[in-house]
Amino acid sequence: TARRLLERGVRFIQIFAGKNAAGDGAVDDVPWDGHNNIETNHRECGLATDRPAAALLADLKARGMLDTTLVVFCTEFGRLPFMQANGTGRDHNIDGFTCWLAGAGVKRGFSLGATDELGWKAVADRRTLYDFNATILHLLGLDHERLSYPVSGTERRLTDVRGHVIRE
C-alpha cells in the first residue's frame, strides 16, 4: 500500500505498528512498549514488522524508487538493558537506542554510534534527536535552519538551535 501511494504522488506516508500488530491477540501491551511480557511482545512485534519492512525496501529498490524515497524506521526511545521490578518487562531508555534510514542518498550498510557493553548509554558518535531530525529534513531537501514557525511571538525551529545535519 505504501509503495502504491508513492506511485500516485503521495509525499508522506506513515506506517504505524498499532495495538496488537501481530493480529493474534498475543501482544496485550502497546506494541514494542514492553513493560511486561517483553519476550512475547517483542517476538510477536518483530514477526509482524520485520518481513513487511524488508519487503517494502526490496519493492522500492526493484522499482527504482528507493533512491528518491526516504524510509525512516524509528522510535522515541529504547529499552533499558535490565528487567523492571515486575521481572517481565523493561522500562524506557532515552540514552541508548537505534533508528535507521534507507534510500534518498543515505549511505548503505553504514552504522554510526555505539552503546556501552550493556546497551545502557550511547558512548560513541553520539547524536541528538535534533541532529537526526535536521538530517531527515536535509534528505527531504529542506534547510532546517530556515524552517521556522512562530510560537508566542518567537520564531522556533523544529531542530531547535542545536540540530546539525549528520554528514557521515
Side-chain angles (χ1 to χ4, degrees):
T1 301
R3 189 248 313 144
R4 289 192 302 259
L5 288 168
L6 285 169
E7 288 175 328
R8 285 162 181 78
V10 176
R11 297 186 63 188
F12 180 87
I13 300 159
Q14 178 180 359
I15 302 171
F16 176 75
K19 191 165 181 65
N20 193 15
D24 61 5
V27 176
D28 58 1
D29 201 3
V30 176
W32 301 109
D33 198 16
H35 291 282
N36 57 28
N37 203 10
I38 196 168
E39 185 178 347
T40 298
N41 174 288
H42 280 51
R43 181 180 50 250
E44 294 298 325
C45 288
L47 288 171
T49 306
D50 289 351
R51 290 180 76 190
L56 175 61
L57 292 173
D59 194 17
L60 292 173
K61 184 177 180 182
R63 294 171 185 270
M65 299 172 67
L66 190 56
D67 290 336
T68 58
T69 303
L70 178 63
V71 178
V72 179
F73 198 101
C74 66
T75 181
E76 71 275 28
F77 45 72
R79 291 281 154 208
L80 290 172
F82 50 83
M83 299 304 257
Q84 283 182 256
N86 65 21
T88 65
R90 296 184 352 204
D91 208 350
H92 301 166
N93 185 5
I94 62 169
D95 293 318
F97 60 97
T98 301
C99 296
W100 59 259
L101 304 172
V106 172
K107 189 184 299 185
R108 295 177 181 171
F110 179 75
S111 179
L112 179 67
T115 61
D116 61 20
E117 63 276 2
L118 297 175
W120 178 280
K121 288 189 175 209
V123 295
D125 295 315
R126 291 178 57 147
R127 297 299 191 270
T128 68
L129 290 176
Y130 298 114
D131 297 339
F132 188 66
N133 289 334
T135 304
I136 290 171
L137 292 169
H138 172 75
L139 292 167
L140 295 174
L142 299 169
D143 181 350
H144 76 99
E145 293 182 356
R146 296 185 63 208
L147 184 61
S148 64
Y149 56 96
V151 175
S152 300
T154 303
E155 289 294 311
R156 302 286 181 160
R157 291 196 326 229
L158 295 174
T159 55
D160 201 19
V161 295
R162 297 173 277 185
H164 302 284
V165 174
I166 301 169
R167 302 285 177 189
E168 295 91 344

